[in-house]
Structures are given as C-alpha cells and as structure tokens.
Amino acid sequence: MAATRFAPDRGLTVRMTVTMFLLGLVYVAFMAALVALGVRAIAVLVVAAGLLLVQFLLSDKIALFAMGGREVSPQEAPELHGIIDRLSAMAGMPKPRVAIADTDMPNAFATGRDQKNSVVCVTTGILRRLDARELEGVIAHEMSHVAHRDVAVMTIASFLGIVAGLMTRFALYTGLAGGRRSNNGPPIGAIIFLVSGLVYAVSFLLTRALSRYRELAADRAGALLTQRPSALASALTKISGEIARIPTRDLREAQPFNAFFFAPAVSGQSIASLLSTHPPLERRLEQLARISAALNR
C-alpha cells in the first residue's frame, strides 16, 4: 500500500491489528469447539471462506448495488469530480472511482479493498445540503478510510460475525452435525447455539469499538489534510440534524451500512445509538475544535 499525505494514526493501526488477531483467536476456538462436538465443519469453513473472498474482492460493487449507487463521469458531476481530483492530488493517492446514490438521506461512504480498487459514493441528499467546502471535508474523511486501509479491515471484520451464524445453520439444518445427543449425552444443538451466540457477541463488540475509533481517526486525518476542521464540523452538524428528520423506515433500510457511512443512520438515544458504529457527535466536534485551535496557533 503506497504512503499518502493523510496523517498516519498509530493508534488506529494498533487497534486494527489487535482486533483482527482477537477475531482470529475467537474463530479458531469456535472451529475447535465445533470439531470437538462432532460437527464436520470443513465444508462449512470452505463455504464461509468463499463468501468472504467474494465480499472482499467485490465489496465496492456490492456496496454500490445495495445502496443503489452508480458511477458518474466528470461530465455528469464536474464539481464532485473536481473536489475528488483536488483531494487525490493533495493526498498523493490514486483517484477513487466516483459514484452517486439517489436517496434523500444525506450521507457518504468509501469502500474497496485498496487504493487502486476503491470508490467514494455520495448521496443526492448530501449534495443538495452541503456547500463545496463542507462536501470537501466529508470526502476527505472518506478518502482517509481508504488511505488508512481500515475499509478493508472493516469489510473482513464485519463479515466474520456472519460466519458463526452460517456455521450454526449448516450444522443444525443440513445434517453436518456428525454427533448426536444420546439419552445421557449433552444437548449438542443447544451447545452449538450458545457457542455461536458468544462468538457473535464478541465479534460485534470488537468491530463496534474499532469502528468508533476509525471514525475519529478519519475526522482527524481529513481535517488536517484540508486544513479546514470547521468545514467538517459544519458538515457533521448539518448532516446529523438532517438525518433526525429522515423517516424511520428509510433509516432502518440504511442501518446495515452504518459502519461505512459518514454519519450513522440513527436518531435519538436508543440501544442502536449506544452500540453505534460511530462516536457521539459531541466527541467528534470536540476533537475538531481542538484541531482548529492547534492550527490557529
């Protein structure tokens, strides 16, 4: 991965490494538990690995399809391409592909396995609501995710949580469980269900913790690249206020993509916001205010 001019973040690198290491340990233990219970897990693992490979290699196309986004040419969106051209030159990184999703929810996301296979997608809702400086701040934030490689890590980490459920379904519903409960034996189905639930819970908490930190790292790197933390703060405030007005049904449809959005598709103080993929708005604004004060000095 080529270096860029986005500010490096050692804390993010350490957290990504630790998260992937711990997730690896969890899933090795999960596989060992399944084998010990008599589940022929090799076939399940092969299927899961195949799905992960597809998810990793095609994550950009899958995300665009799911969000209804389409790539646009410089002739179709000259101002948007202009912003991304300028930021790519400033950051010293390849220009990502540019896409627009036709939805009123103001948001943006970046995805792709590396700098050469990445895409930045903005919604028509965000284009209508932000001025050029605010939009530049948001896009710099998204491009920093690609530069820091946390997009690829989150793609893998978020997918691993599905593997436990997939393995459990195969074991319980397709006859892969080789061992059966005898009259005096342990309830194998219940044990598999409990172990799978524990694995999913650990994965969920690890990925949420990493996701919240990576958003702070992207805010910091984007603000330092543009030297305009106030523009990013303005965009955050405006988008968060607008999302609160979006119908609940539309927010629910978008929530599976929260980990990749600029701002989470949630409103109000709920369990979803307490376990959010993003840090609280106040914390993000406080960090940007500190960066602004440091730059002014």
Side-chain angles (χ1 to χ4, degrees):
M1 177 67 68
T4 70
R5 299 189 188 97
F6 279 107
D9 194 303
R10 183 171 297 179
L12 177 62
T13 301
V14 170
R15 283 168 172 80
M16 289 192 297
T17 302
V18 170
T19 297
M20 295 305 295
F21 176 74
L22 291 177
L23 284 173
L25 285 181
V26 167
Y27 282 94
V28 167
F30 182 47
M31 288 296 299
L34 291 180
V35 171
L37 288 169
V39 177
R40 296 190 293 272
I42 299 301
V44 178
L45 183 60
V46 170
V47 172
L51 291 174
L52 175 57
L53 182 63
V54 171
Q55 173 84 358
F56 183 68
L57 295 178
L58 303 178
S59 59
D60 52 344
K61 295 179 176 61
I62 293 171
L64 284 182
F65 176 78
M67 282 299 298
R70 67 178 185 89
E71 292 186 39
V72 293
S73 67
Q75 292 72 31
E76 293 176 286
E79 293 183 6
L80 180 59
H81 271 271
I83 290 173
I84 295 178
D85 281 332
R86 183 166 61 254
L87 289 173
S88 298
M90 290 169 62
M93 63 184 288
K95 179 183 176 180
R97 305 196 311 281
V98 182
I100 295 177
D102 186 13
T103 173
D104 189 52
M105 185 182 67
N107 231 315
F109 66 89
T111 186
R113 63 185 184 273
D114 54 39
Q115 292 181 23
K116 294 181 179 179
N117 297 277
S118 62
V119 59
V120 172
C121 181
V122 299
T123 67
T124 51
I126 204 173
L127 292 175
R128 285 195 295 269
R129 291 172 171 88
L130 300 188
D131 62 33
R133 293 178 61 172
E134 292 168 339
L135 185 61
E136 181 184 68
V138 171
I139 293 175
H141 167 107
E142 294 302 330
M143 290 176 62
S144 77
H145 283 312
V146 177
H148 287 157
R149 295 173 291 182
D150 58 79
V151 170
V153 171
M154 281 300 297
T155 297
I156 297 173
S158 61
F159 184 79
L160 288 177
I162 302 172
V163 175
L166 180 65
M167 287 186 173
T168 303
R169 290 189 189 96
F170 268 71
L172 296 180
Y173 300 119
T174 65
L176 289 178
R180 302 294 181 186
R181 176 181 178 177
S182 63
N183 292 334
N184 299 319
I188 293 177
I191 293 175
I192 291 175
F193 180 80
L194 290 174
V195 171
S196 177
L198 178 63
V199 169
Y200 179 81
V202 171
S203 302
F204 181 88
L205 293 175
L206 285 173
T207 54
R208 287 301 187 273
L210 174 60
S211 182
R212 286 192 291 272
Y213 185 88
R214 85 181 189 114
E215 293 301 327
L216 291 172
D219 283 347
R220 182 164 51 249
L224 290 174
L225 182 73
T226 63
Q227 298 286 290
R228 293 173 180 170
S230 60
L232 182 55
S234 176
L236 267 171
T237 303
K238 189 178 293 185
I239 290 172
S240 298
E242 291 293 331
I243 284 179
R245 300 184 181 94
I246 299 295
T248 302
R249 183 192 64 183
D250 295 339
L251 292 180
R252 286 175 180 165
E253 291 177 356
Q255 281 177 7
F257 301 94
N258 268 348
F260 298 96
F261 279 148
F262 172 69
V266 296
S267 60
Q269 294 298 317
S270 63
I271 295 298
S273 63
L274 293 176
L275 298 176
S276 178
T277 53
H278 293 60
L281 174 63
E282 294 76 13
R283 186 178 179 187
R284 298 176 76 176
L285 294 178
E286 287 172 3
Q287 175 181 252
L288 291 171
R290 290 195 299 270
I291 294 173
S292 182
L295 291 175
N296 288 334
R297 287 196 298 270

